[in-house]
Amino acid sequence: MAEEEQSTEMISFGIIASAGQARSLAFEALKKAKEYDFEAAKALLEQSKEAALEAHHVQTQLLSKEASGDHTVVDVMLVHAQDHLMTSMLAQELVEEIVNVYRELDATRAE
């Protein structure tokens, strides 16, 4: 049982780390957009998506494992990891929209 708990704990930490990185990169992209540095913002959003994809792959492995009948013990750490992932995904979506608003604002300022 301790081996299973350690595995779930490591999976949780992996999701938390990747999702946290994705969220941080998204907010760095927002900062760059505020400075009208859209190329940097775009690059940071791409990096953010790559980090989120790592977390999503781990989540998919858990779902596949569960679907095959191999139940994963759900503890507070795993719930926290899932919360981190969903929050980072929402942050990415919102930041991307806000970057677009800054881009449009910049285009109207240039006219």
Side-chain angles (χ1 to χ4, degrees):
M1 186 68 159
E3 187 175 309
E4 181 180 318
E5 287 175 15
Q6 182 182 17
S7 177
T8 302
E9 186 176 271
M10 293 309 293
I11 288 169
S12 298
F13 284 138
I15 293 171
I16 290 167
S18 295
Q21 180 71 8
R23 184 180 179 279
S24 294
L25 287 164
F27 280 102
E28 284 182 44
L30 179 58
K31 182 179 177 188
K32 291 297 180 183
K34 285 181 179 181
E35 298 167 358
Y36 298 102
D37 186 352
F38 300 113
E39 289 302 313
K42 181 180 177 181
L44 286 162
L45 279 171
E46 287 303 315
Q47 291 174 31
S48 174
K49 289 176 183 178
E50 289 173 18
L53 192 57
E54 288 179 36
H56 185 68
H57 284 306
V58 174
Q59 180 189 45
T60 301
Q61 289 172 351
L62 282 175
L63 291 170
S64 295
K65 182 180 159 191
E66 190 74 28
S68 70
D70 189 4
H71 181 67
T72 300
V73 176
V74 178
D75 58 10
V76 173
M77 187 66 76
L78 186 55
V79 171
H80 180 64
Q82 290 295 113
D83 184 48
H84 251 325
L85 179 56
M86 298 309 299
T87 302
S88 71
M89 291 169 69
L90 178 60
Q92 281 179 326
E93 292 172 15
L94 291 173
V95 166
E96 198 162 9
E97 289 299 319
I98 295 169
V99 167
N100 289 334
V101 169
Y102 274 109
R103 194 179 315 242
E104 290 175 16
L105 177 62
D106 188 47
T108 59
R109 290 178 355 143
E111 293 176 352

